[in-house]
Amino acid sequence: MLRVHPGEFSDPLMLLRTATVTARAIDDAVLAIHGFSLSDLIEVALAYGDWRLSAVAECWSTADLDRQDPDQSGEDLAALLKRIASTPVAVTDGEVGAALSAQHADPAAWTASCSNPDRVAAAWAWATVDADQLSLAPGPRAATLGYALALRDGESEFPVPASMVLSGLAAAAGMLAAEVSNDEAARGLLQRVVTGQALSMRACNLFCVRGFMWLLFSCASGVMLS
Protein backbone atom coordinates (compact mmCIF):
# COMPACT_ATOMS: atom_id res chain seq x y z
CA MET A 1 0.00 0.00 0.00
CA LEU A 2 1.34 3.41 -0.98
CA ARG A 3 0.78 6.76 0.66
CA VAL A 4 -0.54 9.30 -1.86
CA HIS A 5 -0.91 13.03 -1.19
CA PRO A 6 -4.10 14.21 -2.94
CA GLY A 7 -2.68 17.67 -3.60
CA GLU A 8 -5.38 19.84 -5.15
CA PHE A 9 -7.44 16.92 -6.42
CA SER A 10 -10.76 16.05 -4.78
CA ASP A 11 -10.70 12.59 -6.41
CA PRO A 12 -7.06 11.47 -6.74
CA LEU A 13 -8.09 7.87 -7.40
CA MET A 14 -9.99 8.93 -10.52
CA LEU A 15 -6.90 10.78 -11.72
CA LEU A 16 -4.73 7.70 -11.19
CA ARG A 17 -7.25 5.43 -12.90
CA THR A 18 -7.34 7.79 -15.87
CA ALA A 19 -3.55 7.96 -16.08
CA THR A 20 -3.29 4.17 -15.82
CA VAL A 21 -5.87 3.58 -18.53
CA THR A 22 -4.16 6.16 -20.75
CA ALA A 23 -0.86 4.36 -20.18
CA ARG A 24 -2.34 1.11 -21.47
CA ALA A 25 -2.97 2.86 -24.77
CA ILE A 26 0.23 4.87 -25.24
CA ASP A 27 2.93 2.96 -23.37
CA ASP A 28 4.44 1.27 -26.45
CA ALA A 29 4.58 4.49 -28.44
CA VAL A 30 6.09 6.47 -25.54
CA LEU A 31 8.62 3.72 -24.84
CA ALA A 32 9.81 3.81 -28.45
CA ILE A 33 10.46 7.56 -28.19
CA HIS A 34 11.84 7.98 -24.67
CA GLY A 35 13.03 4.59 -23.47
CA PHE A 36 10.43 4.62 -20.69
CA SER A 37 6.65 4.37 -20.66
CA LEU A 38 3.91 6.37 -18.99
CA SER A 39 3.44 3.37 -16.69
CA ASP A 40 7.08 3.75 -15.62
CA LEU A 41 6.50 7.42 -14.87
CA ILE A 42 3.37 6.65 -12.85
CA GLU A 43 5.25 4.01 -10.88
CA VAL A 44 8.21 6.22 -10.01
CA ALA A 45 6.00 9.22 -9.17
CA LEU A 46 3.96 7.13 -6.74
CA ALA A 47 7.09 5.52 -5.31
CA TYR A 48 8.61 8.94 -4.66
CA GLY A 49 5.43 10.31 -3.10
CA ASP A 50 5.19 7.31 -0.78
CA TRP A 51 8.87 7.61 0.15
CA ARG A 52 8.50 11.30 0.89
CA LEU A 53 5.35 10.93 2.98
CA SER A 54 6.67 7.88 4.83
CA ALA A 55 9.70 9.85 6.01
CA VAL A 56 7.50 12.58 7.47
CA ALA A 57 4.85 10.18 8.78
CA GLU A 58 7.34 8.78 11.28
CA CYS A 59 7.21 12.17 13.00
CA TRP A 60 3.43 12.41 13.17
CA SER A 61 1.84 12.29 16.59
CA THR A 62 -0.52 9.42 17.39
CA ALA A 63 -2.46 11.58 19.85
CA ASP A 64 -5.71 13.31 18.95
CA LEU A 65 -5.37 16.71 17.32
CA ASP A 66 -6.60 19.79 19.16
CA ARG A 67 -9.47 20.05 16.71
CA GLN A 68 -10.71 16.56 17.69
CA ASP A 69 -12.67 17.71 20.73
CA PRO A 70 -14.97 14.93 22.01
CA ASP A 71 -16.98 17.47 23.99
CA GLN A 72 -18.21 19.04 20.74
CA SER A 73 -19.72 15.89 19.24
CA GLY A 74 -23.16 17.50 19.06
CA GLU A 75 -22.14 20.51 16.96
CA ASP A 76 -23.54 20.94 13.45
CA LEU A 77 -21.44 20.64 10.29
CA ALA A 78 -20.94 24.41 9.86
CA ALA A 79 -19.60 24.74 13.40
CA LEU A 80 -17.37 21.71 12.96
CA LEU A 81 -15.83 23.07 9.76
CA LYS A 82 -15.29 26.48 11.34
CA ARG A 83 -13.54 24.94 14.36
CA ILE A 84 -11.31 22.76 12.19
CA ALA A 85 -10.39 25.69 9.92
CA SER A 86 -9.56 27.94 12.87
CA THR A 87 -7.37 25.41 14.68
CA PRO A 88 -3.68 26.37 14.27
CA VAL A 89 -1.45 23.91 12.44
CA ALA A 90 1.39 22.60 14.59
CA VAL A 91 4.54 21.54 12.72
CA THR A 92 7.15 19.73 14.77
CA ASP A 93 10.93 20.05 14.49
CA GLY A 94 11.02 16.41 13.43
CA GLU A 95 8.73 17.09 10.47
CA VAL A 96 10.84 20.05 9.37
CA GLY A 97 14.02 18.00 9.64
CA ALA A 98 12.53 15.12 7.63
CA ALA A 99 11.33 17.50 4.93
CA LEU A 100 14.75 19.16 4.65
CA SER A 101 16.56 15.82 4.50
CA ALA A 102 14.33 14.69 1.66
CA GLN A 103 15.56 17.58 -0.48
CA HIS A 104 19.03 16.07 -0.65
CA ALA A 105 18.14 12.42 -1.21
CA ASP A 106 19.47 10.29 -4.06
CA PRO A 107 16.63 9.33 -6.44
CA ALA A 108 17.82 5.73 -6.08
CA ALA A 109 16.07 5.81 -2.70
CA TRP A 110 12.76 5.43 -4.54
CA THR A 111 13.73 4.19 -8.01
CA ALA A 112 15.58 1.09 -6.80
CA SER A 113 12.42 -0.54 -5.47
CA CYS A 114 10.50 -0.12 -8.74
CA SER A 115 9.86 -3.00 -11.14
CA ASN A 116 12.29 -1.71 -13.79
CA PRO A 117 14.85 0.58 -12.09
CA ASP A 118 16.62 1.61 -15.30
CA ARG A 119 13.43 2.69 -17.06
CA VAL A 120 11.96 4.48 -14.06
CA ALA A 121 15.30 6.26 -13.59
CA ALA A 122 14.98 7.47 -17.20
CA ALA A 123 11.41 8.58 -16.50
CA TRP A 124 12.52 10.48 -13.40
CA ALA A 125 15.35 12.13 -15.33
CA TRP A 126 12.84 13.23 -18.02
CA ALA A 127 10.62 14.77 -15.33
CA THR A 128 13.58 16.63 -13.78
CA VAL A 129 13.49 20.16 -15.19
CA ASP A 130 16.16 22.85 -15.17
CA ALA A 131 14.99 25.64 -12.86
CA ASP A 132 15.84 28.36 -15.39
CA GLN A 133 13.63 26.67 -18.01
CA LEU A 134 10.65 26.29 -15.73
CA SER A 135 7.38 27.90 -16.75
CA LEU A 136 5.29 28.69 -13.70
CA ALA A 137 1.52 28.44 -14.06
CA PRO A 138 -0.04 29.40 -10.71
CA GLY A 139 -3.80 29.28 -10.39
CA PRO A 140 -6.68 26.88 -9.90
CA ARG A 141 -6.70 23.70 -11.99
CA ALA A 142 -3.17 24.43 -13.20
CA ALA A 143 -0.02 22.37 -12.69
CA THR A 144 2.11 25.09 -11.10
CA LEU A 145 5.41 23.48 -12.07
CA GLY A 146 4.14 21.79 -15.21
CA TYR A 147 5.24 18.17 -15.59
CA ALA A 148 8.23 18.60 -13.24
CA LEU A 149 8.70 16.06 -10.45
CA ALA A 150 12.09 17.55 -9.59
CA LEU A 151 13.97 20.77 -10.28
CA ARG A 152 17.63 21.02 -11.26
CA ASP A 153 19.79 23.99 -10.25
CA GLY A 154 23.37 23.53 -11.41
CA GLU A 155 24.61 20.29 -9.88
CA SER A 156 21.78 20.11 -7.34
CA GLU A 157 18.37 18.51 -7.79
CA PHE A 158 15.33 19.14 -5.63
CA PRO A 159 12.26 16.87 -5.82
CA VAL A 160 8.92 18.63 -5.57
CA PRO A 161 6.82 18.36 -2.39
CA ALA A 162 4.56 15.33 -2.15
CA SER A 163 1.57 17.65 -2.56
CA MET A 164 2.66 18.47 -6.13
CA VAL A 165 3.33 14.94 -7.37
CA LEU A 166 -0.14 14.27 -8.79
CA SER A 167 -0.39 17.60 -10.60
CA GLY A 168 3.01 16.98 -12.19
CA LEU A 169 2.00 13.46 -13.14
CA ALA A 170 -1.25 14.68 -14.69
CA ALA A 171 0.60 17.28 -16.76
CA ALA A 172 3.16 14.68 -17.84
CA ALA A 173 0.42 12.29 -18.97
CA GLY A 174 -1.00 15.03 -21.15
CA MET A 175 2.39 15.86 -22.64
CA LEU A 176 3.25 12.27 -23.46
CA ALA A 177 -0.20 11.65 -24.94
CA ALA A 178 0.23 14.74 -27.13
CA GLU A 179 3.60 13.49 -28.37
CA VAL A 180 2.10 10.26 -29.66
CA SER A 181 -1.22 11.73 -30.82
CA ASN A 182 -0.31 11.00 -34.45
CA ASP A 183 0.43 7.36 -33.72
CA GLU A 184 -2.54 5.52 -35.24
CA ALA A 185 -2.05 2.42 -33.11
CA ALA A 186 -2.01 4.44 -29.89
CA ARG A 187 -5.05 6.48 -30.92
CA GLY A 188 -7.02 3.40 -31.89
CA LEU A 189 -6.13 1.61 -28.66
CA LEU A 190 -7.05 4.65 -26.61
CA GLN A 191 -10.45 4.83 -28.27
CA ARG A 192 -11.07 1.15 -27.53
CA VAL A 193 -9.94 1.61 -23.93
CA VAL A 194 -12.28 4.58 -23.51
CA THR A 195 -15.21 2.57 -24.84
CA GLY A 196 -14.41 -0.38 -22.62
CA GLN A 197 -14.07 1.76 -19.51
CA ALA A 198 -17.30 3.58 -20.24
CA LEU A 199 -19.16 0.29 -20.60
CA SER A 200 -17.63 -1.07 -17.40
CA MET A 201 -18.86 2.03 -15.59
CA ARG A 202 -22.46 1.50 -16.69
CA ALA A 203 -23.45 1.21 -13.04
CA CYS A 204 -22.21 4.78 -12.46
CA ASN A 205 -24.35 7.78 -13.22
CA LEU A 206 -24.06 9.51 -16.59
CA PHE A 207 -22.07 12.40 -15.12
CA CYS A 208 -19.31 10.05 -13.92
CA VAL A 209 -19.06 8.33 -17.30
CA ARG A 210 -18.94 11.62 -19.21
CA GLY A 211 -16.32 12.99 -16.83
CA PHE A 212 -14.13 9.91 -17.22
CA MET A 213 -14.39 9.98 -21.01
CA TRP A 214 -13.56 13.70 -21.08
CA LEU A 215 -10.39 13.08 -19.08
CA LEU A 216 -9.26 10.31 -21.39
CA PHE A 217 -9.98 12.22 -24.59
CA SER A 218 -8.21 15.24 -23.10
CA CYS A 219 -5.11 13.09 -22.77
CA ALA A 220 -5.48 11.87 -26.31
CA SER A 221 -5.77 15.44 -27.53
CA GLY A 222 -2.75 16.61 -25.59
CA VAL A 223 -4.68 18.60 -22.99
CA MET A 224 -2.72 18.61 -19.74
CA LEU A 225 -4.75 17.19 -16.91
CA SER A 226 -4.73 19.31 -13.80
Side-chain angles (χ1 to χ4, degrees):
M1 184 178 295
L2 298 175
R3 289 183 169 93
V4 178
H5 195 299
E8 62 183 29
F9 296 95
S10 59
D11 192 349
L13 290 180
M14 176 60 80
L15 168 69
L16 291 174
R17 291 190 191 103
T18 303
T20 301
V21 169
T22 303
R24 286 166 50 192
I26 69 172
D27 268 354
D28 290 345
V30 173
L31 180 61
I33 296 173
H34 292 287
F36 67 84
S37 65
L38 175 54
S39 291
D40 295 322
L41 187 63
I42 294 171
E43 182 180 10
V44 73
L46 294 180
Y48 163 66
D50 177 67
W51 176 87
R52 182 79 180 247
L53 290 173
S54 296
V56 179
E58 295 179 358
C59 306
W60 291 342
S61 172
T62 57
D64 288 343
L65 301 176
D66 292 340
R67 67 190 186 195
Q68 296 171 315
D69 185 354
D71 296 332
Q72 304 294 329
S73 57
E75 65 187 345
D76 60 25
L77 179 60
L80 172 63
L81 294 176
K82 182 177 181 180
R83 177 164 57 81
I84 290 175
S86 62
T87 301
V89 175
V91 180
T92 66
D93 291 341
E95 289 175 297
V96 174
L100 291 175
S101 297
Q103 292 295 330
H104 305 287
D106 186 334
W110 52 87
T111 61
S113 61
C114 292
S115 57
N116 193 319
D118 290 338
R119 280 182 18 187
V120 299
W124 185 264
W126 176 83
T128 300
V129 180
D130 287 329
D132 59 359
Q133 297 180 3
L134 188 66
S135 297
L136 295 178
R141 299 191 61 77
T144 303
L145 300 181
Y147 69 95
L149 295 179
L151 303 180
R152 184 186 301 107
D153 184 12
E155 298 297 321
S156 301
E157 294 183 3
F158 305 93
V160 302
S163 60
M164 302 183 77
V165 168
L166 289 188
S167 59
L169 180 59
M175 287 189 64
L176 293 174
E179 285 187 4
V180 300
S181 60
N182 292 324
D183 186 294
E184 291 298 328
R187 288 178 64 88
L189 183 55
L190 184 56
Q191 290 173 356
R192 292 195 294 274
V193 167
V194 169
T195 302
Q197 286 296 127
L199 291 175
S200 69
M201 295 171 66
R202 61 187 180 278
C204 295
N205 60 43
L206 183 59
F207 176 79
C208 290
V209 174
R210 285 177 174 172
F212 187 84
M213 293 180 71
W214 178 87
L215 287 172
L216 283 175
F217 278 118
S218 293
C219 265
S221 302
V223 177
M224 292 185 182
L225 303 177
S226 57

